Amino acid sequence: MERERFDIFISGGGLSGLIAACAFGRLGLSVLCVDPQPAVTDQANPKADRRSTAFLQPARVTLETAGLWTRLAPFAAPLQIMRLADAGGEAGEIRYLADFDAGEMSDSPFGWNLPNWLLRREILAQIDQTANITLRFGVSTTRIVARHAHALVALSDGSQIETPLVVAADGRNSAIRNMLDIGVKTWRYGQKAMVFTVSHPRPHNNVSTEIHRTGGPFTLVPLPDDSGIPQSAVVWMETGPHAAGLMALDDADFMVQANLRSCDILGPLTLTSPRNLWPILSQKADRLTGPHTALMAESAHVVPPIGAQGLNMSLGDVQALVDLIESGADLGSIAMLTAYERKRMPDITARVSGVDMLNRAALLESPNLRALRLKGLQFLNETTPLRRAAMRAGLGA
């Protein structure tokens, strides 16, 4: 079979890989993106990704660079206020609220929230109109051989690709990371995340709310209204056995428990989607590069769904690569890859460590430790320098 050549090869067609393809394609580069699984873009499909993604302000810049924001903006729910609620008392009632309003520091909201299945639909529609981007679903990467000027990539369909730059966006169990013998540190919490969408009688008023008790936060993230009825995405983190027990309930009994856990903050919640269960862990690759290869997204870092850090970190990876390409860096060169690692690794390390600390605090079960967590939230909210630092982090700085 004749060898094909592309400027950039992306292994992994999840959201990060698809956005990266759009961003590189807008630079006039030829891009091939492959993924072993087909993309699900229909909300009614049982395999649809029910999670949502909150894009923080820097991520919007990347989406604009990739030519995607005008497509996505009509479907996005702005996140104007980030609300932290402590419900760690014996009765489980909310005993302290801390509201962080983006208006205190910015003319724009903290971010914008969109359903993942819809993101895939719109990104694929954009790619379909971009001649220099090629997608192949049902295809995986089987081997990479580095040469002096390029890498040779073998694919499961028998084709061979020659490229100066391989971008590994193939997830937390990255095959490319394993091929390059790059180690990874993993933190496990014994948690699962239950993901679903709800409607509710009270408007969310563009407030994203994290309710902390035990087991992890119960987070309500605004979605656009549906026929005038307020909607939110829910990420409910619990210990593994508790999550398994909740998922075993029928929808009616499950929502009884969900309403108790929501502390009635938006009124009675009504389930509007199937429920999905996701494992929770943190992960960081020992390094971000190999010969002609850059690791990005979950092949490089994984964090629990706290503070909307996950995909936003991934778009930080994309933007770093875009900036290097625009600066004239030689694709896939040692100099380019060294600069990429130097740019991204400190930020990744800080954010993985920070989210790990926050998640461990959310897991606290002892009443005394929960009381300490409450004091910490009060101190954060009422100490101006700390409050402003937290808001800068929330804005993606």
Side-chain angles (χ1 to χ4, degrees), residues 43 49-54 77 79 113-117 194-200 204 207-211 217-225 229-236 255 262 265-266 269-274 305:
Q43 184 181 18
D49 186 349
R50 300 290 171 181
R51 295 173 296 176
S52 65
T53 294
L79 307 179
N113 196 48
L114 296 102
N116 284 5
W117 64 267
M194 294 164 284
V195 182
F196 50 99
T197 62
V198 295
S199 62
H200 38 83
H204 48 60
V207 178
S208 179
T209 304
E210 280 188 10
I211 304 171
F218 183 101
T219 306
L220 290 148
V221 190
L223 291 171
D225 290 356
I229 299 173
Q231 309 283 316
S232 291
V234 178
V235 180
W236 182 4
M255 289 310 297
S262 75
I265 202 160
L266 292 174
L269 306 179
T270 300
L271 187 67
T272 59
S273 78

Side-chain angles (χ1 to χ4, degrees), residues 20-208:
C22 289
F24 301 146
R26 289 271 288 188
L27 298 177
L29 301 169
S30 60
V31 181
L32 171 63
C33 179
V34 304
D35 194 280
Q37 300 298 322
V40 178
T41 60
D42 180 2
Q43 184 181 18
N45 190 317
K47 294 183 178 180
D49 186 349
R50 300 290 171 181
R51 295 173 296 176
S52 65
T53 294
F55 292 104
L56 303 180
Q57 287 186 15
R60 173 177 169 173
V61 174
T62 303
L63 293 171
E64 289 171 343
T65 299
L68 291 167
W69 183 244
T70 53
R71 278 188 171 276
L72 300 177
F75 306 104
L79 307 179
Q80 184 64 35
I81 295 175
M82 297 293 191
R83 173 174 290 162
L84 299 180
D86 185 279
E90 290 302 316
E93 77 287 353
I94 291 176
R95 55 184 181 174
Y96 189 79
L97 286 175
D99 280 2
F100 300 86
D101 190 333
E104 296 177 32
M105 298 187 68
S106 173
D107 293 333
S108 296
F110 282 106
W112 299 263
N113 196 48
L114 296 102
N116 284 5
W117 64 267
L118 183 145
L119 284 168
R120 283 186 173 83
R121 185 189 74 189
E122 294 304 311
I123 295 168
L124 289 173
Q126 175 75 14
I127 290 174
D128 190 52
Q129 298 176 2
T130 310
N132 54 317
I133 302 175
T134 303
L135 287 181
R136 293 179 189 167
F137 290 110
V139 177
S140 57
T141 305
T142 58
R143 186 166 55 92
I144 297 177
V145 177
R147 300 284 175 85
H148 174 70
H150 56 254
L152 297 179
V153 182
L155 302 180
S156 60
D157 64 358
S159 58
Q160 291 190 341
I161 309 301
E162 178 183 307
T163 181
L165 179 60
V166 173
V167 175
D170 53 346
R172 60 186 65 182
N173 299 314
S174 171
I176 290 182
R177 190 182 64 220
N178 292 334
M179 291 176 199
L180 297 175
D181 199 26
I182 297 176
V184 63
K185 183 177 181 182
T186 302
W187 298 260
R188 300 188 186 278
Y189 308 99
Q191 286 173 296
K192 304 284 187 181
M194 294 164 284
V195 182
F196 50 99
T197 62
V198 295
S199 62
H200 38 83
R202 298 176 197 153
H204 48 60
N205 294 323
N206 299 326
V207 178
S208 179

